[in-house]
Amino acid sequence: MSDQVPEIRGERALIQRLRNRIGDSGTPSVPFGDDMASLPHVDGNLLWTTDMLMDGTDFDSRVHGWDAIGRKCLAVNLSDCAAMAVQPVACLAAVALSDQLSMNDAETLLTAIDEFGRTFDCPLVGGDTNSWSYPTVVSITVAATVPSGSKPVRRDAARPNDTIWVTGPLGGSILGRHMTFTPRVQLARQIASTLNPHAMMDISDGLALDLSRILDASGCGAILNAADLEAAIHADARQLEARDAISARDHALHDGEDFELIVILPPDAPSDHFRDPGLIPIGTIEATSGLWIADTASARTPIPVRGWEHFR
Amino acid sequence: MSDQVPEIRGERALIQRLRNRIGDSGTPSVPFGDDMASLPHVDGNLLWTTDMLMDGTDFDSRVHGWDAIGRKCLAVNLSDCAAMAVQPVACLAAVALSDQLSMNDAETLLTAIDEFGRTFDCPLVGGDTNSWSYPTVVSITVAATVPSGSKPVRRDAARPNDTIWVTGPLGGSILGRHMTFTPRVQLARQIASTLNPHAMMDISDGLALDLSRILDASGCGAILNAADLEAAIHADARQLEARDAISARDHALHDGEDFELIVILPPDAPSDHFRDPGLIPIGTIEATSGLWIADTASARTPIPVRGWEHFR
């Protein structure tokens, strides 16, 4: 009731606040805040994934609100679920909070994770709360179930003559989309159930680098069609080109954090059918290794495989 | 072959090294390094837990080797599995590596997690590798299965007249045990299958604070017996007392990271039976809230509930 009243801080008070906000819906057999959390009991196999995001690298708390930060920290994990075409079921969040954060900031971050998760049927069911004197770190783990009758879509089964598609235009996500993108969970399941994809992956480190990972895993190469790729360049990439003199195409090839999907489809399906869910064709899988771009039918240029890579 | 040869760095090279070391044994339906990892298919319910550890807080890379650090980062998660008396099955590791680390350091850290995990049938099956210019952060998630015919042991079912036990002597773990403790996974399952525990919890933040969490969750209080507690004081606590003039009993009550279990047992079982697996009795659950210590039959003193708490 007064500015003089000190804020009640501490891990215990924060967990109590979260318990009140989030409740027990995700954890039928173990209450929120126990040593472990329940994974929802599902038929079939479970997959899981973890992603760690750091202030100053993956988000900037001087610019972004803690609700937008929480949303992104979960969204990158949900994007991995999309890449495998599986259905997320629940998440855990471990955090090292900068001691500069207020209790309200911390609560905003963690409830944003839960609220965004619930829109994907993926509530926050537990975690670990720490603090320290360095920038905030958020590590989320998501479990997902493989829909019955289907398999996870791996990255190692692209085959020569398969076609390469992306789920949306690429490049320039740093202008804002890297914080606000919608993970392609629903679209991925639609693709997996109707189009028999041979491989999929989400674009977190740039089209060229992530596509090269599919090629390495599958033991093949690819050639992109320059005219097709032109149609897959985001307006943000063109806006960046005007600023930094790096071509919009290079932004589309090498910028990270598009979080669209690369989809490898068999050669024999009708392409109109593929375009329906918004897929954009960009090239073809080849037997020989390497990643190339064809500006005309006769001239091909190697695409340098670079993009965001940690620990260099 | 020469000091001049630059080390091949980067996330991709590190993951390749790990793939070679760790292999695919934990991930039958998805290869190591795909967007998600398989959770081993098990009968019955799964639980999961996550813990984040930070250099300078939970370990000190100036003092501890990266193998010892990896071991501890997993061990604290396995201790949560012990607290619920469940069987760990696999783990994920997300890391933000200080850019001061060498590739060999990074590989040592991650393979230590896998190697220690395998001794608990809990291999490393995936993760996320990042780097930055701040201290190293390691976040591990462990999934565990509830043995068939049993339930996870929660913390909210202690009842008046239950007896309170610990699985080993407490206090002074900072002298070294906090890095080298053995998670009580096997002992916990033995206790759960033979002694009908009403509640269990591992001691990460100190006996007084962690016991108070059982009491809060169960809606009751407890009185510790001073003579019994004396037998539960670790030699390390006495060694610290000689240095810092804080009593060994206070070290046993309030030091963090013992990673022994608090075990709440029903009042009617033969106590010799309990002592068999090394359990040490320390007190009794009461109906009225509060945590007390009885130095004699007539005099009781409240125990301050404090211990390690983040985000204060």
Side-chain angles (χ1 to χ4, degrees):
Chain A
M1 307 301 287
S2 148
D3 289 340
Q4 311 304 305
V5 176
E7 182 186 56
I8 297 171
R9 287 178 73 87
E11 189 179 355
R12 201 175 191 176
L14 179 59
I15 291 170
Q16 185 57 50
R17 279 207 205 182
L18 290 170
R19 195 197 313 266
N20 295 341
R21 289 279 299 259
I22 292 174
D24 282 351
S25 67
T27 56
S29 79
V30 177
F32 191 85
D34 213 308
D35 292 292
M36 301 185 81
S38 282
L39 260 169
H41 189 67
V42 294
D43 287 332
N45 289 313
L46 284 169
L47 302 184
W48 57 344
T49 185
T50 187
D51 267 308
M52 180 180 278
L53 287 83
M54 298 99 75
D55 196 359
T57 301
D58 305 291
F59 56 86
D60 182 347
S61 64
R62 297 167 309 177
V63 175
H64 306 125
W66 288 104
D67 49 351
I69 293 167
R71 182 191 185 283
K72 176 177 181 177
C73 291
L74 179 57
V76 300
N77 282 280
L78 296 177
S79 186
D80 285 320
C81 297
M84 309 291 290
V86 294
Q87 173 61 46
V89 294
C91 65
L92 300 177
V95 294
L97 303 170
S98 161
D99 51 23
Q100 302 298 307
L101 263 67
S102 70
M103 271 289 275
N104 281 338
D105 292 338
E107 188 182 352
T108 298
L109 169 69
L110 292 166
T111 53
I113 294 168
D114 182 60
E115 286 172 7
F116 188 61
R118 283 173 192 273
T119 68
F120 286 83
D121 297 321
C122 181
L124 179 64
V125 298
D128 181 35
T129 310
N130 309 276
S131 63
W132 69 340
S133 57
Y134 297 100
T136 293
V137 179
V138 181
S139 182
I140 293 184
T141 304
V142 170
T145 181
V146 183
S148 66
S150 70
K151 288 182 183 177
V153 181
R154 296 154 54 151
R155 62 174 68 167
D156 62 353
R159 296 289 170 262
N161 302 315
D162 284 354
T163 52
I164 308 169
W165 309 70
V166 291
T167 53
L170 309 177
S173 75
I174 192 69
L175 294 182
R177 281 155 41 234
H178 77 108
M179 295 297 296
T180 59
F181 69 93
T182 298
R184 300 300 186 200
V185 174
Q186 291 296 91
L187 178 58
R189 292 190 55 189
Q190 183 187 342
I191 292 167
S193 63
T194 60
L195 301 181
N196 185 29
H198 284 178
M200 294 206 305
M201 203 177 149
D202 66 321
I203 305 175
S204 53
D205 299 333
L207 172 63
L209 183 55
D210 286 325
L211 177 55
S212 78
R213 289 171 173 149
I214 290 178
L215 302 178
D216 284 355
S218 301
C220 46
I223 184 155
L224 303 187
N225 179 296
D228 284 345
L229 186 60
E230 197 67 17
I233 296 174
H234 197 281
D236 289 341
R238 301 194 187 284
Q239 196 176 333
L240 273 189
E241 177 184 56
R243 289 194 204 172
D244 62 13
I246 294 171
S247 75
R249 185 168 99 177
D250 276 356
H251 280 295
L253 283 170
H254 302 298
D255 285 359
E257 304 216 311
D258 290 303
F259 296 110
E260 297 291 351
L261 303 177
I262 302 171
V263 184
I264 310 296
L265 294 178
D268 54 352
S271 71
D272 282 356
H273 190 47
F274 297 171
R275 289 175 205 263
D276 253 358
L279 292 181
I280 306 169
I282 59 169
T284 309
I285 300 292
E286 299 191 320
T288 49
S289 64
L291 177 58
W292 307 81
I293 190 160
D295 281 292
T296 68
S298 59
R300 53 165 61 191
T301 317
I303 297 173
V305 174
R306 56 182 165 77
W308 179 262
E309 188 177 20
H310 274 287
F311 202 58
R312 289 222 69 97
Chain B
M1 305 304 286
S2 147
D3 289 338
Q4 311 304 304
V5 176
E7 184 186 52
I8 296 172
R9 288 178 71 87
E11 188 179 355
R12 202 174 192 176
L14 179 60
I15 291 170
Q16 186 56 48
R17 279 207 205 182
L18 289 171
R19 195 196 315 266
N20 295 342
R21 289 280 299 257
I22 292 175
D24 282 350
S25 66
T27 57
S29 78
V30 177
F32 191 83
D34 213 308
D35 293 291
M36 302 184 80
S38 282
L39 260 168
H41 188 67
V42 294
D43 287 332
N45 290 313
L46 284 169
L47 303 185
W48 56 345
T49 184
T50 187
D51 267 307
M52 180 180 279
L53 287 83
M54 298 99 74
D55 195 0
T57 301
D58 304 291
F59 57 86
D60 183 346
S61 64
R62 298 167 306 177
V63 176
H64 306 125
W66 287 103
D67 50 350
I69 293 167
R71 182 192 186 282
K72 176 177 181 178
C73 291
L74 179 58
V76 300
N77 282 279
L78 296 177
S79 187
D80 284 321
C81 297
M84 309 291 291
V86 294
Q87 173 59 47
V89 294
C91 64
L92 300 177
V95 294
L97 302 169
S98 162
D99 50 23
Q100 302 299 306
L101 262 69
S102 70
M103 272 289 275
N104 281 338
D105 292 337
E107 188 181 353
T108 299
L109 170 69
L110 292 165
T111 53
I113 294 169
D114 182 59
E115 286 172 6
F116 188 61
R118 284 173 191 271
T119 67
F120 286 84
D121 296 320
C122 181
L124 179 64
V125 298
D128 181 35
T129 310
N130 309 276
S131 62
W132 71 340
S133 58
Y134 297 100
T136 293
V137 179
V138 181
S139 181
I140 294 184
T141 305
V142 169
T145 182
V146 182
S148 67
S150 69
K151 288 182 182 178
V153 181
R154 297 156 53 153
R155 62 175 67 167
D156 62 352
R159 295 290 171 262
N161 301 315
D162 284 354
T163 52
I164 308 169
W165 307 71
V166 292
T167 54
L170 309 177
S173 76
I174 192 68
L175 293 182
R177 281 153 42 231
H178 77 107
M179 295 297 296
T180 60
F181 69 94
T182 297
R184 301 300 186 197
V185 174
Q186 291 295 91
L187 178 58
R189 292 191 55 191
Q190 183 186 341
I191 292 168
S193 64
T194 59
L195 301 181
N196 185 30
H198 284 179
M200 293 205 306
M201 203 176 150
D202 67 319
I203 305 176
S204 54
D205 298 333
L207 171 63
L209 183 55
D210 286 325
L211 177 55
S212 78
R213 290 172 171 146
I214 291 179
L215 301 178
D216 284 355
S218 302
C220 45
I223 185 157
L224 303 188
N225 180 295
D228 284 344
L229 186 60
E230 198 66 18
I233 296 175
H234 197 282
D236 289 340
R238 301 194 189 281
Q239 195 176 333
L240 273 190
E241 177 184 57
R243 288 194 205 173
D244 63 12
I246 294 172
S247 74
R249 183 166 102 179
D250 276 356
H251 280 296
L253 283 169
H254 302 299
D255 285 358
E257 305 214 311
D258 289 303
F259 296 110
E260 298 291 350
L261 302 177
I262 302 170
V263 184
I264 310 295
L265 294 178
D268 54 354
S271 70
D272 282 355
H273 190 47
F274 296 171
R275 288 175 205 263
D276 252 357
L279 292 181
I280 306 169
I282 59 169
T284 309
I285 300 290
E286 299 191 320
T288 49
S289 64
L291 178 57
W292 307 82
I293 190 160
D295 282 292
T296 67
S298 60
R300 53 164 63 190
T301 317
I303 298 173
V305 174
R306 57 183 163 77
W308 179 262
E309 188 177 22
H310 273 288
F311 202 58
R312 289 223 68 98

